[in-house]
Amino acid sequence: MDKIILTLLTFFLIFGCSDTEKKKKGSKIEATEINPEKTEFVNTSSIISNVKYLKLSEEGGNYIGQIEKVLLKNNKIYVLDAEQSLALYVYNEEGRLLFDISNYGRGPGEFMSPNDFDVDLKNNQIIIYDTGGSKFIYYNSNNGEYIEEKTFKHRLSRFKKIESGYLIFMNNVLTNSMDDSHNMLITDNDFNIREESIDIDPDLIDYHYNLPTNFSVFNDKVFFTAPSDYIIYSYDKEKFKKIKKIDFGEKELPESFFEEKENVIERIKLLEEYANNISNYYEAEDFSFFTYRYKRNHNYVFASNKENKMLHTSNIKLKDDIGLGPMMRRPIQIKGDTLVWFQQSTSLVEYISNKKKKGSEWSSLKQKNPSLVAFEKEIDKNDNPYLIFTKIDPVILFLQNLFF
């Protein structure tokens, strides 16, 4: 797809100064003000310069039901299906299956509920956490062969392997550690707790969030978001710390919200009235990105690393003027300056079918994005989910200097 040139009008729309979207300085951590009510209508052509689609092969009958997590490391693509096939698949960059780890069971090297995983390149290991067995299982990252497993006595939600041990997110589950009140545990390689951080709100004990991506890495620095607060955290040089506060003003949850709203159904309903659940925080060379929920929508924030500017939009205000096709509401990973999404093959087949029924829309799609039309011919509705790589145009982040 040809590189899309941004117009002066687009720059003005996206980067015009806003008194509701500022960065506060002078406090202990940087605070970014965002008004959830003020999101912009934006064309995808104003953000994305290139899109690529990748089919994940089904060699040997390996069918993925629902993608839980994707990692792109060492020229490989690692995909976890934690719901249907209960397996981890390893592909090359062309989408060809190299091997899978599908050891269902309760014995050594087997798992019942593969909830999360990471890849330790230094030790050539894939690490899977099994919720059902409360254990970490280690496999050779070159071929998937079982190495060993280690019991972990606490039921965690997400983890990240670091050189000196692990960052472990508990998602409001109490542990038998120092004082039973922290969501972040920092351990050594034998899971001895070295440090605890992020207090658990007593009114949120055992209230579990459905988690998207909340760990990410850029230039060896780990970033983390907890769905129950408005802070961006980082782990760097053996220090876990707050680096940014997202300030939604009056649209932030009141401190007494969970204390006053004890009924779970009532909480879920009223949560929609507030900005909440910051997630999918990614850093790139020229920008950072994150999503949050507000009024049943997923809002997107792109912040320039060069200037005090940002783009603030939502899934319902993004106009697909380049024919991207059906998209999930959140990207699942980042590679360089490219956000990575996934979608079910059946959704694309239905999307193309519906376009064909509307002559003018079908003609427009073939002109806008012939690569999507060609890609759809390669897949069947029962195929694995496919990946979508959307390159974010760095122009959007620093060429506004020509105009402001």
Side-chain angles (χ1 to χ4, degrees), residues 23 30-35 213-214 216 223-225 229-232 244-248 275-284 287-293 298-304 310-314 329-331 334 339 341:
K23 291 183 179 179
E30 180 182 294
T32 299
E33 290 184 349
I34 296 178
N35 183 349
T213 304
N214 59 349
S216 65
F223 297 95
F224 173 78
T225 55
D229 66 27
Y230 297 100
I231 305 296
I232 309 298
K244 187 183 297 184
K245 165 75 164 62
I246 309 302
D247 183 358
F248 292 111
N276 67 91
N277 206 349
I278 295 172
S279 65
N280 300 76
Y281 181 85
Y282 301 121
E283 283 275 353
F287 67 90
S288 62
F289 170 88
F290 65 87
T291 70
Y292 68 94
R293 292 291 304 274
H298 287 74
N299 286 7
Y300 307 134
V301 177
F302 291 85
S304 170
M310 70 173 63
L311 180 155
H312 183 208
T313 187
S314 72
R329 292 188 174 185
R330 293 188 182 107
I334 191 169
L339 290 174
W341 318 65

Side-chain angles (χ1 to χ4, degrees), residues 153-168:
K153 60 183 178 180
H154 311 300
R155 182 164 60 88
L156 63 89
S157 183
R158 291 284 187 265
F159 78 95
K160 182 76 186 76
K161 180 70 180 73
I162 53 178
E163 185 172 356
S164 58
Y166 299 82
L167 301 178
I168 294 174

Side-chain angles (χ1 to χ4, degrees), residues 113-374:
S113 305
N115 184 62
D116 196 10
F117 80 98
D118 202 358
V119 180
D120 181 358
L121 294 179
K122 181 178 179 181
N123 295 302
N124 295 317
Q125 294 179 341
I126 296 171
I127 308 168
I128 295 178
Y129 174 70
D130 175 28
T131 302
S134 297
K135 60 183 180 180
F136 285 86
I137 314 174
Y138 300 79
Y139 305 90
N140 187 307
S141 61
N142 294 317
N143 53 28
E145 291 184 358
Y146 169 64
I147 299 173
E148 64 173 338
E149 62 184 37
K150 296 179 182 179
T151 300
F152 186 70
K153 60 183 178 180
H154 311 300
R155 182 164 60 88
L156 63 89
S157 183
R158 291 284 187 265
F159 78 95
K160 182 76 186 76
K161 180 70 180 73
I162 53 178
E163 185 172 356
S164 58
Y166 299 82
L167 301 178
I168 294 174
F169 177 58
M170 300 304 298
N171 200 8
N172 300 321
V173 175
L174 293 183
T175 70
N176 296 318
S177 57
M178 299 177 186
D179 57 13
D180 287 346
S181 63
H182 293 88
N183 260 322
M184 178 60 67
L185 309 180
I186 304 173
T187 78
D188 61 19
N189 283 304
D190 293 319
F191 300 107
N192 299 304
I193 297 173
R194 297 188 287 113
E195 182 181 344
E196 297 181 325
S197 187
I198 310 179
D199 294 345
I200 295 179
D201 183 334
D203 297 300
L204 280 175
I205 292 173
D206 291 329
Y207 180 82
H208 312 307
Y209 282 87
N210 182 21
L211 290 176
T213 304
N214 59 349
F215 281 109
S216 65
V217 179
F218 178 67
N219 285 347
D220 296 325
K221 181 184 291 188
V222 178
F223 297 95
F224 173 78
T225 55
S228 55
D229 66 27
Y230 297 100
I231 305 296
I232 309 298
Y233 301 86
S234 75
Y235 183 83
D236 185 35
K237 298 178 181 178
E238 300 295 313
K239 291 184 179 180
F240 184 79
K241 61 183 180 180
K242 302 176 182 179
I243 60 169
K244 187 183 297 184
K245 165 75 164 62
I246 309 302
D247 183 358
F248 292 111
E250 62 182 17
K251 293 301 180 179
E252 283 190 7
L253 285 170
E255 290 186 6
S256 59
F257 179 85
F258 291 100
E259 180 181 3
E260 296 173 354
K261 311 294 187 299
E262 296 184 1
N263 182 278
V264 173
I265 296 177
E266 182 184 12
R267 282 180 179 178
I268 293 172
K269 182 178 179 180
L270 292 176
L271 269 174
E272 300 296 342
E273 300 302 314
Y274 298 94
N276 67 91
N277 206 349
I278 295 172
S279 65
N280 300 76
Y281 181 85
Y282 301 121
E283 283 275 353
E285 189 68 35
D286 296 307
F287 67 90
S288 62
F289 170 88
F290 65 87
T291 70
Y292 68 94
R293 292 291 304 274
Y294 182 62
K295 291 186 175 179
R296 298 180 179 272
N297 297 320
H298 287 74
N299 286 7
Y300 307 134
V301 177
F302 291 85
S304 170
N305 290 340
K306 307 293 183 180
E307 295 290 331
N308 186 16
K309 304 289 183 181
M310 70 173 63
L311 180 155
H312 183 208
T313 187
S314 72
N315 61 293
I316 63 171
K317 288 190 175 182
L318 267 178
K319 180 182 178 182
D320 182 12
D321 64 331
I322 58 175
L324 279 173
M327 299 280 287
M328 289 292 186
R329 292 188 174 185
R330 293 188 182 107
I332 197 168
Q333 196 49 258
I334 191 169
K335 181 181 181 181
D337 57 3
T338 298
L339 290 174
V340 183
W341 318 65
F342 78 91
Q343 183 56 273
Q344 299 292 342
S345 291
T346 184
S347 295
L348 177 57
V349 172
E350 291 174 1
Y351 173 85
I352 294 294
S353 176
N354 289 333
K355 292 293 183 184
K356 287 180 177 178
K357 293 175 183 177
K358 303 173 182 178
S360 60
E361 291 187 15
W362 175 235
S363 298
S364 176
L365 179 63
K366 288 193 292 183
Q367 183 178 9
K368 289 178 180 177
N369 194 355
S371 64
L372 178 64
V373 175

Side-chain angles (χ1 to χ4, degrees), residues 48-67:
I48 298 168
S49 64
N50 185 276
V51 59
K52 174 186 174 183
Y53 304 93
L54 183 67
K55 175 182 170 68
L56 300 176
S57 66
E58 302 88 18
E59 297 160 50
N62 290 281
Y63 287 95
I64 300 170
Q66 181 72 21
I67 292 179

